[in-house]
């Protein structure tokens, strides 16, 4: 079995991105699973493009995409991707896309195909603060999530794929002028491996 696992490069006023550090912390092989890893640019065109080329080039059996949401207090299992780009900050190329569909011909939204209820109870049982989230926002993470689920919808097979937002790391919170919730990196690494375990068990 092959998983594609992606994170994002740093963006905006975040000098590091926990999703990148998480992806880099994972092994290339876990149990019987090959982990293909990619870091996506925070760029309105190149982010989704890089994801699509990783998907086409690797034909994974399952996909986990991660990103940072610095205001979140818990690991957030995103339930729905919406067909909207409405950036509140610029991407790393300085571009702010507002009020535009991701795909003018695509459906309004896609649901995650991750077993998010099972993932929630597994992670909470392991004492990793976790929640189900109803909005991945309207920035790059949602755009990549929507692009991912659009690709999944076109596949002939059923597959587990979705997006997970991570809170900031303690080193980001330490340097933040305002309040910033955080969790240590090993929580994210453990969460990712537990998510893989759970998907294998449920597919
Ligand atoms: N978080 C941003 C984009 C990249 C990232 O890690 C987001 O939530 O859209």
């Amino acid at each position: 079995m092959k998983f594609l696992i992606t994170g994002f490069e740093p963006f905006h006023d975040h000098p590091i991105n926990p999703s990148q550090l998480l992806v880099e912390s994972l092994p290339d092989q876990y149990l019987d699973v090959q982990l293909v890893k990619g870091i996506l640019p925070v760029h309105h065109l190149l982010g989704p493009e890089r994801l699509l080329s990783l998907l086409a080039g690797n034909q994974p059996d399952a996909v986990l995409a991660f990103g940072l949401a610095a205001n979140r207090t818990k690991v957030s299992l995103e339930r729905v991707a919406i067909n909207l780009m409405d950036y509140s900050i610029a991407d790393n190329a300085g571009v702010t896309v507002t009020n535009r569909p991701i795909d003018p011909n695509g459906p309004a939204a896609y649901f995650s195909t991750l077993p998010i209820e099972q993932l929630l109870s597994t992670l909470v049982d392991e004492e990793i603060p976790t929640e189900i989230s109803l909005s991945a926002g309207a920035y790059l993470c949602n755009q990549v999530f929507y692009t991912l689920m659009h690709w999944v919808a076109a596949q002939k097979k059923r597959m587990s794929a979705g997006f997970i937002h991570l809170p900031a790391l303690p080193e980001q919170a330490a340097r933040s002028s305002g309040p910033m919730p955080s969790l240590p990196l090993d929580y994210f690494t453990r969460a990712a491996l537990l998510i893989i375990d759970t998907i294998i068990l449920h597919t």
Side-chain angles (χ1 to χ4, degrees):
M1 195 173 184
K2 194 195 282 182
F3 272 64
L4 172 65
I5 307 197
T6 68
F8 276 102
E9 66 181 7
F11 66 103
H12 188 49
D13 55 1
H14 305 292
I16 54 172
N17 192 321
S19 67
Q20 174 174 11
L21 300 187
L22 161 64
V23 168
E24 289 170 357
S25 79
L26 295 171
D28 296 326
Q29 184 81 27
Y30 172 66
L31 309 172
D32 284 340
V33 182
Q34 184 193 349
L35 304 185
V36 177
K37 299 177 281 179
I39 304 302
L40 309 178
V42 179
H43 184 287
H44 61 291
L45 297 174
L46 301 181
E49 252 175 57
R50 176 97 185 100
L51 174 77
L52 287 172
S53 85
L54 285 165
L55 291 167
N58 293 289
Q59 296 293 321
D61 303 298
V63 185
L64 302 176
F66 291 90
L68 163 68
N71 56 336
R72 301 284 172 95
T73 56
K74 299 182 177 185
V75 171
S76 298
L77 307 165
E78 297 295 348
R79 197 189 278 279
V80 58
I82 56 171
N83 190 2
L84 175 70
M85 287 180 278
D86 199 28
Y87 300 179
S88 52
I89 52 173
D91 70 5
N92 283 350
V95 176
T96 307
V97 186
T98 54
N99 198 22
R100 259 212 342 244
I102 296 167
D103 181 343
N105 302 312
Y110 285 109
F111 288 114
S112 171
T113 55
L114 297 178
I116 52 176
E117 303 287 350
Q118 283 101 322
L119 294 179
L120 178 67
S121 62
T122 304
L123 297 185
V124 168
D125 284 350
E126 293 295 324
E127 295 174 354
I128 298 174
T130 308
E131 65 190 354
I132 290 174
S133 159
L134 282 178
S135 174
Y139 189 48
L140 256 299
C141 287
N142 174 71
Q143 194 178 338
V144 156
F145 183 18
Y146 186 91
T147 304
L148 167 63
M149 300 319 298
H150 196 65
W151 182 86
V152 168
Q155 304 304 297
K156 297 287 167 274
K157 56 181 181 184
R158 231 206 75 79
M159 64 188 290
S160 290
F163 198 93
I164 298 142
H165 261 126
L166 304 172
L169 291 166
E171 50 266 52
Q172 294 173 275
R175 292 190 169 80
S176 159
S177 51
M180 184 182 278
S182 65
L183 284 174
L185 181 60
D186 65 290
Y187 276 63
F188 301 152
T189 309
R190 248 173 356 108
L193 297 178
L194 285 163
I195 291 169
I196 295 170
D197 289 340
T198 311
I199 291 172
I200 295 171
L201 217 67
H202 286 91
T203 44

